[in-house]
Amino acid sequence: MTQRGSDLRARENQSKFAQQRIINVEKNFSTLCQNMSTYSRKVAKLRDAGDDISKTILQYAENEMQTTKAGMTGFAEQLSAVQDYRHAMVERLEYKVVQPLSLYGTACKHAKDDLKTSFSARDKELNEQKKLEKVRQKKPGDRQQISQAESKLQKATVDASRSNRALEEQMDSFEKKKMQDIKTILHEFLTVEMLFHSKCLEVYTNAWQSINSISDDDDLEEFRNSLRPLGGSESGSRNGLNNSHLGSKASLNSTGQSKTSTMGKKKTSKSQQEKTTVQNWEDEDDDEDDEEDDDYDDEDDEY
């Protein structure tokens, strides 16, 4: 009886330990599943917010200067690509993390059913043991009833032992599967995160380059040209008027200079003509004087 009692207590403690393990797994996996599901939903909301930011930047870029428009458009496209990767991340989290965690509700339910079978076999053994003790106390001389009670107790003990061994095997398999599954699930979570962030690092690098391609000087020059289209033509017309005015003055100066040179030439030719006329007069006077001298000489010869 002492050995049987110790065996019963050992099996009872074993069943309670298995029950507590199942309860802990069910609780922890349920909480982890809820948290992962919340995380996945928040990532989906972040994806939607990222899409809104991308659309806003595209609308912003429509009215900007050339390099700013190109740079912001490239940035928006890269940010949209990040949201595509984030969408794939949400789907992988749901398929490889949340769904396997949610299946542990069913696994724990099956483990509880196995545990109930073991408890039922143990309780039956205890009941048969109590019946045997009552028979021995009430009818210690009735060997037939005592033998029947002992036979039933023996059968219940065999069933309880068989159920206990099955429970050990089931709990061992359950614990082993739980350890493998939690490792696999967390590995999948890390893989999803690392894939997402590695892709995002590449895309964000391209987005950085798109922003760096914006030329402040070029866009500012384009802005200034767009800001003062009339001012530029007025300054051009003013420059044209100034140039035409300067050209007119230059032509007037050249005309005056040509007139002055012409008048100078005329004065020079006139003075030369006067000099020639005077010289001719002087030559004629000299000729007349020579003729008079000749006449005087002839007269002297006649005398």
Side-chain angles (χ1 to χ4, degrees):
M1 291 294 295
T2 304
Q3 181 66 30
R4 186 182 296 275
S6 62
D7 290 342
L8 286 173
R9 285 193 297 272
R11 286 197 294 270
E12 183 178 2
N13 292 332
Q14 186 182 45
S15 298
K16 288 182 179 180
F17 174 77
Q19 183 181 24
Q20 189 61 41
R21 292 295 294 177
I22 294 171
I23 292 173
N24 290 337
V25 170
E26 185 179 25
K27 178 182 177 181
N28 293 330
F29 270 70
S30 176
T31 304
L32 186 59
C33 180
Q34 292 176 0
N35 292 336
M36 286 293 185
S37 181
T38 301
Y39 179 82
S40 179
R41 288 194 301 271
K42 289 183 177 181
V43 172
K45 290 182 179 179
L46 186 60
R47 173 203 61 199
D48 296 338
D51 286 332
D52 293 338
I53 293 173
S54 178
K55 292 176 183 178
T56 302
I57 293 175
L58 281 175
Q59 293 174 357
Y60 183 104
E62 286 298 325
N63 298 323
E64 288 301 311
M65 300 298 106
Q66 184 176 1
T67 63
T68 301
K69 181 178 181 180
M72 294 185 70
T73 300
F75 177 86
E77 291 175 350
Q78 298 301 324
L79 185 60
S80 179
V82 171
Q83 308 321 311
D84 293 338
Y85 288 126
R86 189 168 273 123
H87 177 71
M89 177 185 178
V90 171
E91 291 182 344
R92 289 171 182 167
L93 285 173
E94 290 290 339
Y95 179 71
K96 294 186 176 182
V97 177
V98 177
Q99 185 177 353
L101 286 172
S102 66
L103 294 177
Y104 259 80
T106 304
C108 291
K109 183 179 179 181
H110 291 326
K112 286 181 178 180
D113 292 339
D114 296 335
L115 191 61
K116 287 180 180 180
T117 303
S118 177
F119 283 165
S120 177
R122 187 198 65 188
D123 292 340
K124 184 177 181 180
E125 182 184 12
L126 288 173
N127 290 332
E128 293 297 332
Q129 185 176 359
K130 289 179 181 180
K131 288 179 180 180
L132 177 60
E133 290 177 354
K134 286 181 180 180
V135 169
R136 285 177 176 176
Q137 289 176 359
K138 291 181 179 181
K139 300 178 180 180
D142 192 350
R143 299 299 305 172
Q144 184 178 359
Q145 289 186 357
I146 292 174
S147 178
Q148 289 177 353
E150 288 178 347
S151 177
K152 290 181 180 179
L153 176 60
Q154 185 68 27
K155 183 179 179 181
T157 301
V158 172
D159 291 340
S161 298
R162 187 184 301 111
S163 176
N164 187 67
R165 287 193 298 270
L167 179 63
E168 288 180 358
E169 294 176 357
Q170 291 164 355
M171 288 303 301
D172 184 84
S173 176
F174 176 80
E175 187 72 15
K176 183 178 180 180
K177 186 176 185 303
K178 180 209 72 174
M179 295 173 64
Q180 293 175 346
D181 287 345
I182 192 65
K183 286 173 63 177
T184 302
I185 290 170
L186 294 179
H187 278 154
E188 291 294 342
F189 176 79
L190 292 175
T191 301
V192 170
E193 289 286 333
M194 287 189 293
L195 284 174
F196 170 72
H197 287 93
S198 63
K199 291 292 185 181
C200 285
L201 181 60
E202 180 181 355
V203 175
Y204 280 138
T205 302
N206 295 332
W208 182 279
Q209 294 174 354
S210 296
I211 295 301
N212 283 342
S213 66
I214 297 175
S215 175
D216 298 343
D217 295 334
D218 293 344
D219 284 355
L220 187 58
E221 183 65 24
E222 183 180 354
F223 171 77
R224 288 169 178 169
N225 293 334
S226 300
L227 181 65
R228 298 192 296 268
L230 296 178
S233 61
E234 287 177 358
S235 61
S237 61
R238 289 177 182 176
N239 291 331
L241 290 174
N242 290 332
N243 292 331
S244 63
H245 182 63
L246 292 174
S248 299
K249 290 177 69 177
S251 62
L252 289 174
N253 290 332
S254 62
T255 304
Q257 291 176 359
S258 62
K259 287 182 179 180
T260 304
S261 61
T262 304
M263 291 174 65
K265 289 179 180 179
K266 287 181 179 179
K267 289 180 180 179
T268 303
S269 61
K270 186 175 180 182
S271 62
Q272 289 177 354
Q273 288 176 0
E274 289 178 350
K275 289 181 180 179
T276 304
T277 305
V278 172
Q279 184 66 35
N280 291 332
W281 287 346
E282 290 178 353
D283 292 337
E284 289 177 357
D285 291 337
D286 290 336
D287 292 336
E288 289 178 356
D289 290 338
D290 291 336
E291 288 178 357
E292 289 177 356
D293 291 335
D294 291 336
D295 291 336
Y296 290 146
D297 291 333
D298 292 335
E299 288 179 357
D300 288 336
D301 291 334
E302 287 179 0
Y303 291 127

